[in-house]
Amino acid sequence: MRFSTAALALTAIVCGVSAAPTKRQDSTDIDAVILQYALTLEHLENAFYKKALGEWDEKAFTDAGFSSKFYSDLKYVAHDEEGHVVYLEAGLTAAGAMPVAACEYGFPITDPKSFVALSSVIEGIGVSAYLGAAPLVTSKAYLTAAGAILVTEALHQSQQRAAIGETPSSNVFGTPLGFNAVYSIASGFIKSCPESNMALPVMAYPALTLVSGLPTAQGAHIDLKPAEASTGDVFATFVSGINVAAVAPQSISGGMLMVEVPMMVEGQSYVFLTKDNSGNLTDSNIIAGPAILEITPGSPSFDLTIT
């Protein structure tokens, strides 16, 4: 099975216009906003797993080359995602807030293989979302709860990556992403949401499509095409683990940029188009993105003398 099938489907759906409610505003209660944001993502994951398990039984998964044990483990993942929804809903209700309800979703999955491939990507986005939001949480209790959910999402991601032949732990660190970067990806799966849902203070960046296939390698050339033509200076800024690297395009032709993947990029990573090469990923500096990358890691090395 090729990972690129789901990855290209993901970038294609992100190009669509989201019907999810958004509002750019300053929040006086950032923790409540973060909980609603987390619940929005957990609703999506909950719906994603239940759609797959509702459509395909154990035989469909084993016929696709997955084991009965893997199918059983998927049911535990669905159980976890539902548990996250229930937990966050209870926390918001206890705090006097109305939890956002589930939306209507569209997932580009046609069989168990495409589902598992996309699940590894979605779980990676979930990990990045919790990591990116962590520094903004003011309550230690909420931060502990978010960390507990993050650990579970990372376990899910490792399980799904192993199932499609990717290295489960392909980076020394997880990769944090900001609210708007995560929303730019997640909104591509959202068709519509209840009008009663809180309007989250997020926005989607213009889409960036990876034209070349995945997985790819460090030092390889990839082609990127923004939904909107760029004017002025433009750089490709890669985010992988806690590392950020900006590179100038090798060439620009017909609105498409060819760039070289930096050597520090490993595993599920992200690339933005930015106005400069500072590594600054603020709203004002981001032109488009993120596009999702899967970069095959180099051979592992370690020093037995380090204790």
Side-chain angles (χ1 to χ4, degrees):
M1 186 201 68
R2 294 290 297 170
F3 174 90
S4 57
T5 301
L8 292 176
L10 177 59
T11 54
I13 197 168
V14 168
C15 293
V17 177
S18 168
T22 64
K23 183 179 180 181
R24 293 294 293 164
Q25 62 185 24
D26 292 329
S27 173
T28 56
D29 187 355
I30 187 63
D31 286 352
V33 171
I34 292 172
L35 288 181
Q36 297 281 25
Y37 167 80
L39 179 56
T40 299
L41 298 178
E42 294 296 345
H43 274 312
L44 187 153
E45 290 183 308
N46 182 43
F48 176 65
Y49 281 97
K50 287 181 177 175
K51 173 178 173 61
L53 292 175
E55 290 191 9
W56 301 301
D57 59 12
E58 180 177 346
K59 185 177 185 302
F61 278 88
T62 56
D63 286 350
F66 301 102
S67 68
S68 294
K69 175 66 165 57
F70 177 78
Y71 176 78
S72 176
D73 288 342
L74 279 180
K75 292 188 286 186
Y76 281 101
V77 175
H79 168 83
D80 292 346
E81 302 300 357
E82 180 180 288
H84 295 164
V85 168
V86 172
Y87 179 83
L88 290 168
E89 286 179 335
L92 283 161
T93 300
M98 178 182 293
V100 294
C103 300
E104 181 184 354
Y105 308 100
F107 301 109
I109 53 176
T110 56
D111 53 34
K113 286 186 175 182
S114 62
F115 158 70
V116 178
L118 185 55
S119 69
S120 73
V121 177
I122 287 179
E123 293 290 359
I125 295 165
V127 170
S128 292
Y130 278 99
L131 277 175
L136 303 177
V137 178
T138 62
S139 163
K140 290 184 178 180
Y142 287 162
L143 183 59
T144 299
I149 294 175
L150 186 156
V151 170
T152 305
E153 301 291 358
L155 291 171
H156 297 167
Q157 183 191 19
S158 293
Q159 173 184 314
Q160 310 301 52
R161 286 180 62 83
I164 60 173
E166 301 291 354
T167 303
S169 179
S170 56
N171 198 307
V172 177
F173 302 100
T175 303
L177 283 179
F179 282 1
N180 291 337
V182 171
Y183 182 75
S184 297
I185 299 170
S187 63
F189 300 113
I190 301 175
K191 292 183 176 180
S192 65
C193 291
E195 292 183 359
S196 59
N197 276 7
M198 169 188 176
L200 297 174
V202 292
M203 69 174 188
Y205 300 125
L208 179 63
T209 300
L210 176 69
V211 178
S212 45
L214 289 176
T216 187
Q218 299 162 332
H221 288 168
I222 60 173
D223 295 321
L224 301 169
K225 188 174 181 62
E228 302 174 8
S230 302
T231 58
D233 293 337
V234 59
F235 295 84
T237 297
F238 293 80
V239 184
S240 184
I242 57 176
N243 294 313
V244 179
V247 300
Q250 300 286 313
S251 65
I252 302 177
S253 177
M256 188 178 302
L257 294 80
M258 184 176 73
V259 300
E260 183 176 313
V261 178
M263 298 305 292
M264 43 67 71
V265 181
E266 295 184 306
Q268 183 169 321
S269 303
Y270 308 91
V271 61
F272 299 80
L273 295 188
T274 55
K275 297 176 182 177
D276 61 36
N277 61 352
S278 66
N280 180 8
L281 288 173
T282 58
D283 292 346
S284 61
N285 200 39
I286 292 174
I287 298 171
I292 302 172
L293 306 174
E294 179 60 40
I295 309 298
T296 303
S299 298
S301 62
F302 49 90
D303 187 343
L304 294 176
T305 68
I306 298 177
T307 59

